[in-house]
Amino acid sequence: MPLCFAGVLALSSCSAHPQGSSGASGTRIKVGTAPSAVELADFNRDGKLDAAVANSESDNVTILLGDGGGGFKQAAGSPFAAGNEPNDLAIGDVNNDRNLDLAFANHDTTYLTVLVGDGKGGFKPATGSPVTVQSKPHPHGVVIADFNGDGWADLATDDWGNNRVTVVFNDKKGGFISPGVSFPVGKMPYQKLRAADLNKDGKADIVTTNFEGGNVSVLLADGKSGFHETAGSPFDSNKQPFAIAIGDLNGDGNLDLAVGHYSGQITDTSGDRMTIMLGAGDGAFRQEWSQLVPGKAPTRVAIGDVNGDGIDDAVFGNYGSNSVTVVPGSRSNFTTAAGWTTGVGRLPTGVAIGDLNGDGKGDIVTSNYDDNDISVVLTR
């Protein structure tokens, strides 16, 4: 029987969806083998959010087109080849055709795979893909952004064995100048990196979690293909920062960070924490709140307005306890008391937030590594 509660997460089985089965962890939709990441965007330009799911063991990406009510169907031709073990995916327009494209960090390789979209939900390899990068021993994360202000989207990935990130600039034809340029960050930027304009100068900057450093690095772009660490970087978080997301969590107009801390061992939960770091608007951050995770192994985090109050919230995917934890954004103080934890599929390795049914509240999608599916959990 569907469980629907006002103001909290409700199962998407409260509405009828022809595809996927419903259960205690929301609507479930089969994808490829061992899905490692999921992101939401409008790939077919119909004004409704769609999903891209990177499948690490079937080496492809599943594209699911949204119906505007929380349901999905596979795009024609899906899944599409995405290179060896796609571990992370990024979305942007790399060839300036106004259609969204995809980039993947390919585990156990030294390259990124780039797929260009046709605006209908279909994808094909970009010019020069896969793109060789400087990443020792292999990339884990990837972002797409215009880092040098030339109007063309670039790529960035981690070079964690060298304590660096690598930026691969666009050749202004939709291809990339390989193997890229590297910039130093903190100690062992092991998992994800993310990009946004962190100091309000109109240029995309980079933030990394430094696993062995217990901190995050902020690289500010100069708009001329260069970067420098902002004053005070790297900023202390807690030990073993693993996942990171960017958004305005206290409604002050400055971008903040949500960080998930994970030891690398599901059986060791001593370092499994959630941390909120508030931004000053100039690229600097300070730790505002931190708490042990109600679940285990928060290996992914996403930011979006889940409760519809106009302030971004943080959603942590708990890989070790098959759940997600919502930490509501706040203008005053952060707490899990007003949030919640709910079950999803087994080993959620990806989490994304977006309004899938047009009710003004962000819904949650997780990619479930052990179940070869995604969970779609609608917010009521």
Side-chain angles (χ1 to χ4, degrees):
M1 179 178 180
L3 304 175
C4 296
F5 303 95
V8 299
L9 291 185
L11 306 185
S12 50
S13 54
C14 297
S15 302
H17 297 303
Q19 185 177 14
S21 61
S22 298
S25 51
T27 293
R28 307 286 287 276
I29 302 173
K30 285 295 182 182
V31 290
T33 307
S36 59
V38 59
E39 297 293 345
L40 301 174
D42 182 7
F43 296 118
N44 61 349
R45 303 174 68 169
D46 65 352
K48 301 166 186 174
L49 284 177
D50 311 310
V53 186
N55 304 305
S56 64
E57 290 188 8
S58 51
D59 298 339
N60 55 24
V61 57
T62 299
I63 302 298
L64 300 170
L65 302 181
D67 64 9
F72 292 92
K73 67 177 182 180
Q74 280 214 47
S78 173
F80 303 96
N84 188 72
E85 293 185 39
N87 184 64
D88 191 26
L89 71 95
I91 300 170
D93 180 5
V94 302
N95 58 356
N96 281 353
D97 66 353
R98 300 185 181 180
N99 297 324
L100 291 178
D101 309 314
L102 302 172
F104 302 87
N106 295 110
H107 198 261
D108 284 338
T109 72
T110 54
Y111 64 74
L112 308 174
T113 294
V114 182
L115 302 181
V116 292
D118 62 7
K120 300 176 183 178
F123 290 87
K124 65 180 181 180
T127 302
S129 179
V131 180
T132 300
V133 293
Q134 299 180 87
S135 180
K136 179 184 177 181
H138 45 244
H140 281 92
V142 63
V143 291
I144 298 175
D146 180 6
F147 293 117
N148 58 358
D150 65 356
W152 291 82
D154 311 303
L155 307 176
T157 190
D158 56 291
D159 180 9
W160 58 272
N162 292 314
N163 299 327
R164 304 182 305 188
V165 299
T166 295
V167 179
V168 189
F169 293 104
N170 201 302
D171 65 4
K172 301 184 183 180
K173 299 177 182 179
F176 296 90
I177 304 170
S178 178
V181 183
S182 294
F183 302 91
V185 289
K187 192 174 182 180
M188 197 178 182
Y190 173 57
Q191 274 292 321
K192 301 302 173 278
L193 75 169
R194 292 297 180 249
D197 181 7
L198 302 175
N199 61 346
K200 300 182 180 181
D201 66 352
K203 305 177 184 69
D205 310 305
I206 297 173
V207 60
T208 71
T209 52
N210 305 316
F211 186 79
E212 288 187 359
N215 48 38
V216 300
S217 289
V218 175
L219 290 179
L220 299 181
D222 62 10
K224 301 176 183 179
S225 303
F227 289 85
H228 67 274
E229 277 199 270
T230 190
S233 177
F235 300 98
D236 289 338
S237 58
N238 278 291
K239 67 177 183 178
Q240 299 160 334
F242 200 85
I244 194 164
I246 304 172
D248 183 3
L249 292 166
N250 63 348
D252 68 351
N254 299 325
L255 290 177
D256 310 308
L257 306 176
V259 183
H261 303 261
Y262 167 51
S263 68
Q265 301 293 328
I266 294 178
T267 55
D268 177 11
T269 62
S270 61
D272 292 357
R273 302 187 69 87
M274 306 174 294
T275 297
I276 302 298
M277 301 181 70
L278 297 183
D282 59 1
F285 293 87
R286 62 176 174 83
Q287 186 180 149
E288 173 70 11
W289 176 87
S290 187
Q291 179 178 304
L292 291 173
V293 183
K296 297 179 181 178
T299 60
R300 287 290 179 109
V301 59
I303 290 178
D305 186 5
V306 173
N307 56 14
D309 65 355
I311 303 176
D312 283 342
D313 311 302
V315 178
F316 293 83
N318 302 318
Y319 178 82
S321 54
N322 307 328
S323 65
V324 294
T325 296
V326 179
V327 178
S330 174
R331 289 188 171 88
S332 55
N333 63 298
F334 294 89
T335 176
T336 55
W340 55 87
T341 296
T342 190
V344 289
R346 291 182 298 170
L347 304 187
T349 52
V351 59
I353 303 171
D355 184 1
L356 300 176
N357 58 357
D359 67 354
K361 297 179 181 179
D363 307 302
I364 299 172
V365 180
T366 65
S367 53
N368 306 315
Y369 190 90
D370 244 16
D371 290 330
N372 302 326
D373 65 13
I374 63 171
S375 293
V376 181
V377 187
L378 299 184
T379 303
R380 301 295 187 191

